[in-house]
Amino acid sequence: MKLRPTRGKTGRNRLSIVERGELDLSTLPGGLDLRATVESGQSYLWWRTDGETYTEGGDGATYRTTDRVDGVPVVIEAERVADKLRWRATGDAAPVLRRRLGLDDDLPAIRASTPSDDLIDSAWEASWGMRIVRDPPVPTLVSFICSTQMRVERIFEMQQSLRTALGAELAFGGETVHAFPTPERLAAAGETKLRDLGLGYRAPYVQETARMVADGEAHPADATDLPYEEARECLTRFVGVGDKVADCVLLFGLGELSAVPLDTWIQRTVREYYPDLEGDSYAETSRAIREHLGPYAGYAQTYVFHYRRAGLGPETTA
DNA sequence: CTCCAGGGAGCCT
DNA sequence: AGGCTCCATGGA
């Protein structure tokens, strides 16, 4: 633990206690691919201190995110150093990192319980160590409302714009880090401001959904522990949330590892590789895939999505 | 110029 | 319930 008092040039004093620690990854079943975990499009709540996204040298990148512990905002920084996950944070980040990065998931057991075929095997092997994130539900909801008809790289940029423009300033050592904006701040910003930040037609969706959460009308965590399809239905109450975004919130925000978001990549994959699983509706196809892949269907889906979208396979020259 | 991006709302039958 | 159209914005 290290105390870092900083004196701003404006005269205001800031005090931020920065704790440090390490998590041992050498005994972690399946290890950890940090870059794939936080840059594969599951989460838009981490950013790199070098400002890049999925470029060369990412293995040694330093990542930051914010979260809340007992209602108190925390800043967390993490980087991979040999077989350690080294962190600095405004508090004890170890339990948060374990949950956020899925470090308690037994990857070999999950893979063993999932059906094997050429595509899925290739996907596991291309990013082995990638884990499903458990992000805070409200920021997950907001960021995936922003994700519709948008490239992964731009979704990252949009969330950073929201942070910088609307997020509360948090002291982190001598630096200032922006928290992800609360629903109150997002609702108060207004549609015009959100459009100015590049959200396009998603601006009123984010505004209205944020208002619903801020006013206590609904919360994404309301879907926790509901039967799968009821949970998805519960989440589609929010404006800008259909079946696909609801599945993303279930998988990446609420830890429902059987959820399978059917985006354009996965729908294409179903049509090309698993035509027998394609139904006449989202709900039907979803049921068939989840029945085929089992309780960790979301893991297989996320590996296949990343494998195809990031061009990790051989067919990417087409 | 056109086409596309981790889709969804509104409106129609 | 299931189809059709429009929706901002930026990059290729």
Side-chain angles (χ1 to χ4, degrees), chain A residues 6 19 28 30-31 82 98 106 187 202 212 228 254 262 269 302:
Chain A
T6 58
E19 298 187 28
L28 196 63
R98 292 204 75 83
D106 186 336
R202 305 157 195 81
M212 291 170 73
Y228 184 85
L254 297 177
L262 300 182
T269 300
T302 298

Side-chain angles (χ1 to χ4, degrees), chain A residues 135-164:
Chain A
D135 278 336
V138 174
T140 301
L141 178 65
V142 171
S143 57
F144 276 97
I145 288 173
C146 293
S147 76
T148 66
Q149 292 293 99
M150 198 55 73
R151 294 193 165 105
V152 166
E153 291 75 13
R154 280 202 62 213
I155 304 169
F156 277 106
E157 295 171 8
M158 291 167 67
Q159 305 316 304
Q160 284 302 90
S161 297
L162 288 177
R163 267 184 199 281
T164 306

Side-chain angles (χ1 to χ4, degrees), chain A residues 46-83:
Chain A
W46 291 82
W47 69 95
R48 286 167 58 151
T49 55
D50 62 9
E52 303 290 332
T53 302
Y54 225 93
T55 53
E56 300 297 324
D59 292 337
T62 302
Y63 297 92
R64 284 181 181 168
T65 190
T66 58
D67 207 320
R68 283 174 171 270
V69 177
D70 298 326
V72 179
V74 295
V75 180
I76 298 171
E77 178 181 283
E79 67 179 319
R80 178 70 190 265
V81 179
D83 59 353

Side-chain angles (χ1 to χ4, degrees), chain A residues 99-219:
Chain A
R99 170 167 176 78
R100 288 280 301 268
L101 300 177
L103 299 185
D104 293 319
D105 294 346
D106 186 336
L107 293 185
I110 288 171
R111 178 174 177 177
S113 77
T114 305
S116 168
D117 61 40
D118 288 346
L119 175 65
I120 293 178
D121 284 344
S122 300
W124 284 121
E125 283 153 22
S127 315
W128 187 238
M130 178 171 71
R131 289 163 184 277
I132 299 288
V133 300
R134 270 74 151 187
D135 278 336
V138 174
T140 301
L141 178 65
V142 171
S143 57
F144 276 97
I145 288 173
C146 293
S147 76
T148 66
Q149 292 293 99
M150 198 55 73
R151 294 193 165 105
V152 166
E153 291 75 13
R154 280 202 62 213
I155 304 169
F156 277 106
E157 295 171 8
M158 291 167 67
Q159 305 316 304
Q160 284 302 90
S161 297
L162 288 177
R163 267 184 199 281
T164 306
L166 303 175
E169 293 188 356
L170 306 174
F172 183 54
E175 299 180 70
T176 297
V177 169
H178 291 267
F180 194 87
T182 61
E184 289 79 9
R185 280 171 175 257
L186 288 166
E191 180 184 331
T192 304
K193 176 64 177 172
L194 295 173
R195 282 186 186 272
D196 289 343
L197 292 172
L199 269 62
Y201 64 82
R202 305 157 195 81
Y205 301 163
V206 168
Q207 205 274 338
E208 176 61 9
T209 288
R211 188 204 59 76
M212 291 170 73
V213 177
D215 288 352
E217 284 183 21
H219 193 283

